[in-house]
């Protein structure tokens, strides 16, 4: 029988070095992916999905086109990665939405790109561009619908707790969350069509509206 001997100190050192090298490689790879996504976001917002070529994205990212293709095989793949990135950002912010004033901060910020980036780290122009592309690109549409379902499920749990066993009540809760999502998405459009809208009166009306939508919620909502 072969005896399983413990690894020597040298073997332990090599293994630790290999793990460190692998971790460093993964960190560099993730940094490169993030660099590409940041560059692609700027290109898509400036030139649109079809106006932003992979060559332009690689130039903005200061990489060769071949290097960009090593990480993403198409612009659709880049869009999907941006959507996933923004979804993770939303999950980070989600718990704060139990405070209606914070929700209003996030919602009002969608009227201005700089405000949105400062408050939520997401660019509303990018969302508008992705939505426009989804109207003619089924791959992007499927990704946005998948993420939308995850977001609505997260908000339902956050605002109303576990799903109601009463079908009518559950449908009402789902409709309320849909309206809140519409308000967020609508603010992105209003930021383009009416950027000079007066903030304070709008915030007052939105707070009243959200208060009505969340009446009777089981979550720890701070109105």
């Amino acid at each position: 029988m072969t005896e399983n001997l413990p690894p020597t100190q040298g073997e332990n050192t090599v293994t630790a070095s290999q793990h460190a090298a692998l971790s460093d490689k993964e960190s560099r790879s993730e940094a490169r992916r993030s660099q590409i996504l940041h560059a692609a976001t700027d290109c898509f917002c400036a030139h649109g999905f079809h106006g932003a070529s992979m060559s332009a994205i690689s130039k903005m990212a200061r990489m060769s086109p071949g290097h960009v293709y090593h990480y993403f095989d198409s612009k659709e793949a880049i869009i999907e990665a941006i959507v996933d990135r923004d979804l993770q950002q939303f999950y980070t912010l989600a718990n704060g939405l139990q405070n209606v004033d914070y929700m209003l901060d996030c919602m009002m910020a969608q009227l201005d790109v700089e405000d949105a980036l400062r408050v939520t780290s997401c660019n509303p122009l990018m969302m508008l561009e992705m939505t426009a592309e989804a109207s003619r690109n089924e791959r992007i549409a499927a990704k946005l619908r998948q993420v939308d379902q995850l977001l609505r499920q997260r908000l339902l749990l956050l605002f109303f707790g576990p799903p109601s066993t009463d079908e009518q009540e559950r449908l009402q809760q789902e409709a309320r969350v849909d309206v809140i999502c519409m308000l967020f998405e609508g603010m992105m459009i209003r930021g383009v069509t009416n950027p000079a809208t007066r903030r304070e009166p709008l915030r007052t009306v939105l707070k009243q509206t959200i208060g009505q939508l969340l009446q009777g919620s089981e979550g720890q909502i701070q109105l």
Side-chain angles (χ1 to χ4, degrees), residues 14 41 50 69 84-85 93 98 113 117 137 142 146-147 150 155 165 167 185 191 194 210 212-214 216 223:
V14 171
T41 298
H50 292 282
Y69 275 111
D84 286 334
R85 178 197 66 186
L93 297 172
Q98 290 180 317
V113 171
L117 290 172
N137 186 321
Q146 176 193 29
V147 169
L150 292 173
L155 290 176
T165 56
E167 182 180 6
E185 293 165 2
N194 187 21
I210 292 171
Q212 292 177 340
L213 288 170
L214 297 180
L223 298 174

Side-chain angles (χ1 to χ4, degrees), residues 28-43:
R28 289 199 305 271
S29 177
E30 186 58 36
R32 289 294 191 186
R33 283 175 56 87
S34 179
Q35 184 176 344
I36 293 168
L37 297 183
H38 182 77
T41 298
D42 287 345
C43 284

Side-chain angles (χ1 to χ4, degrees), residues 103-190:
M103 187 193 304
L104 286 168
D105 288 342
C106 294
M107 196 174 288
M108 295 293 297
Q110 303 309 308
L111 291 169
D112 180 84
V113 171
E114 290 186 5
D115 286 346
L117 290 172
R118 175 176 51 80
V119 176
T120 69
S121 299
C122 296
N123 190 326
L125 295 182
M126 186 63 203
M127 184 60 192
L128 293 178
E129 185 60 38
M130 289 189 293
T131 303
E133 180 59 22
S135 69
R136 52 186 174 261
N137 186 321
E138 184 55 35
R139 178 174 172 180
I140 301 302
K143 183 64 177 181
L144 290 185
R145 289 166 188 156
Q146 176 193 29
V147 169
D148 181 76
Q149 182 179 11
L150 292 173
L151 293 179
R152 285 185 288 107
Q153 289 174 346
R154 181 72 183 93
L155 290 176
L156 277 168
L157 184 62
L158 185 71
F159 296 145
F160 301 106
S164 173
T165 56
D166 184 287
E167 182 180 6
Q168 289 303 313
E169 182 179 8
R170 177 174 54 80
L171 291 175
Q172 283 290 319
Q173 292 172 351
E174 291 176 356
R176 293 180 184 189
V177 166
D178 257 336
V179 173
I180 289 174
C181 291
M182 290 174 190
L183 290 173
F184 267 104
E185 293 165 2
M187 293 292 278
M188 298 177 191
I189 297 173
R190 298 303 294 166

Side-chain angles (χ1 to χ4, degrees), residues 67-105:
H67 202 175
V68 173
Y69 275 111
H70 173 73
Y71 292 99
F72 301 100
D73 62 9
S74 65
K75 287 193 289 185
E76 284 87 354
I78 293 177
I79 286 279
E80 290 173 337
I82 290 173
V83 172
D84 286 334
R85 178 197 66 186
D86 290 350
L87 175 63
Q88 293 304 313
Q89 182 62 31
F90 174 83
Y91 281 152
T92 301
L93 297 172
N95 287 337
L97 296 181
Q98 290 180 317
N99 183 305
V100 171
D101 282 326
Y102 177 70
M103 187 193 304
L104 286 168
D105 288 342

